[in-house]
Amino acid sequence: MKYRHAMPVLTALVLALAGCATKSACTASDANPIRGPFPLLCTPWTAEGALDCDVLAKEAAFMSKCGVAGVIWPTAGEVVDLVKEGEYVKGLEALAARAAQPDFTARLTAICSGTTSARALNRVREVNAVMDKYGVQMAILARPPDDAKTQADIEAHYRALAKIAKCPVIIQTYNGKSPQPDVALLVQLAKDYPDVYGYVKEESPGGKVNGRIAELVAAKPAMKTVFSGWGAKGWLYQSRALGTEGIVTQRPAYSDLLAAMFEEQQKGDPDGRLADIYAKYLLMINLGDTFGGTSDQMRGPHLYVLQKRGVFTNTYTRHRAKKEEAAAGKKWTVDEVKLTDQEKAEIDRRLESCRPYLRMP
């Protein structure tokens, strides 16, 4: 008789442990930690300017098979339009359905940005609903809301976010519109909400970034993972000398290179291959400067690489129609990357040089 009241407690404990053994929304203390390469997906569009959910899920699966630790969607600049069109949740659900399959090992991560704190928090609630619906393990990448003006505004936002988040949150420190959260604030949030915070994508502009990375890494164990950003262009130094343990960048076409770079670095580069893999990665992302132009670093010729690797079916990018076009009933302008044979040949040569490190066709 004395054990009767213990049975519900034991039952709850067993169920909780069973839940964490599945792909559920458990914290980052499970077998899928928040560290390593977390590339952002390039959003695929149709010729009409609609979100292509089938290709989006295919791209995420490609990235997972390449060995990255996480996949992130969408870019912060896309959120407003995606929400207006009802595509934000639609895309997350397509990704969650794919992530729920046993062969998908990367952690699905959602961008929860907003022009206001309230709108950003609403994105978090939508992510919670997707996790509950599909039973997948996720994370959130959350930069400060655009309307934050002070450190107090930023702190209030992240504390409100922590109260509703059902998964770990990576804080992105720079958005070009609001102040950056102070290092002291980031550390305090990590201490106050250890199941939510402690993960930072440090992407300060100019010469500030390395100093802030060093401060954040020094704040371990409260800080769990500091991610390099800015296209991973400073990652080799930041990882080897400063201690970053992750990469967040919109370079999905090179997910296997990112995975190989990280793995070699974590092993201590026993075969002396790290610099060569990193050089090959830089050779590929330089295509944005070579052919893409200064305004198209993330997509441009990289869409051709995704197409060549069997992931994308086209090289479209959509933009909201200008006022005169909208007045005529047009919603989107859809641009297509068109490369010359000579440009394609150069891209092909560079990609071929990466072949020893490519894990997918």
Side-chain angles (χ1 to χ4, degrees), residues 42 299-307 312 314-317 337:
C42 280
R299 296 177 69 88
H302 307 296
L303 299 180
Y304 167 76
V305 177
L306 284 168
Q307 189 178 38
F312 274 24
N314 61 55
T315 60
Y316 295 134
T317 296
V337 175

Side-chain angles (χ1 to χ4, degrees), residues 259-337:
M261 282 162 39
F262 182 76
E263 290 168 13
E264 288 297 316
Q265 189 271 339
Q266 290 291 293
K267 291 187 297 185
D269 193 21
D271 303 316
R273 303 192 308 163
L274 177 57
D276 188 53
I277 303 172
Y278 187 56
K280 296 295 194 299
Y281 167 75
L282 294 179
L283 184 70
M284 297 310 298
I285 68 170
N286 174 256
L287 291 169
D289 297 302
T290 306
F291 302 128
T294 56
S295 63
D296 204 4
Q297 297 294 301
M298 302 301 181
R299 296 177 69 88
H302 307 296
L303 299 180
Y304 167 76
V305 177
L306 284 168
Q307 189 178 38
K308 184 175 179 64
R309 300 196 71 183
V311 181
F312 274 24
T313 58
N314 61 55
T315 60
Y316 295 134
T317 296
R318 84 175 185 190
H319 309 279
R320 187 162 289 280
K322 297 178 181 179
K323 289 184 178 180
E324 57 271 19
E325 295 173 325
K330 188 174 182 180
K331 182 179 291 186
W332 309 110
T333 297
V334 179
D335 297 329
E336 183 179 12
V337 175

Side-chain angles (χ1 to χ4, degrees), residues 79-155:
V79 169
V80 171
D81 281 343
L82 288 165
V83 170
K84 284 181 179 178
E85 299 300 318
E87 296 168 325
Y88 181 80
V89 172
K90 184 179 178 182
L92 285 180
E93 289 199 343
L95 291 167
R98 184 64 183 87
Q101 298 179 29
D103 66 327
F104 196 100
T105 58
R107 184 185 286 261
L108 178 59
T109 303
I111 295 277
C112 292
S113 62
T115 54
T116 67
S117 176
R119 289 171 180 166
L121 294 177
N122 193 50
R123 303 290 83 75
V124 176
R125 296 184 181 94
E126 291 172 324
V127 171
N128 288 343
V130 170
M131 283 192 291
D132 290 343
K133 181 175 180 179
Y134 291 91
V136 294
Q137 190 179 69
M138 291 183 64
I140 287 169
L141 179 63
R143 70 186 196 183
D146 296 351
D147 65 341
K149 303 300 181 185
T150 66
Q151 290 297 309
D153 293 340
I154 295 171
E155 180 175 4

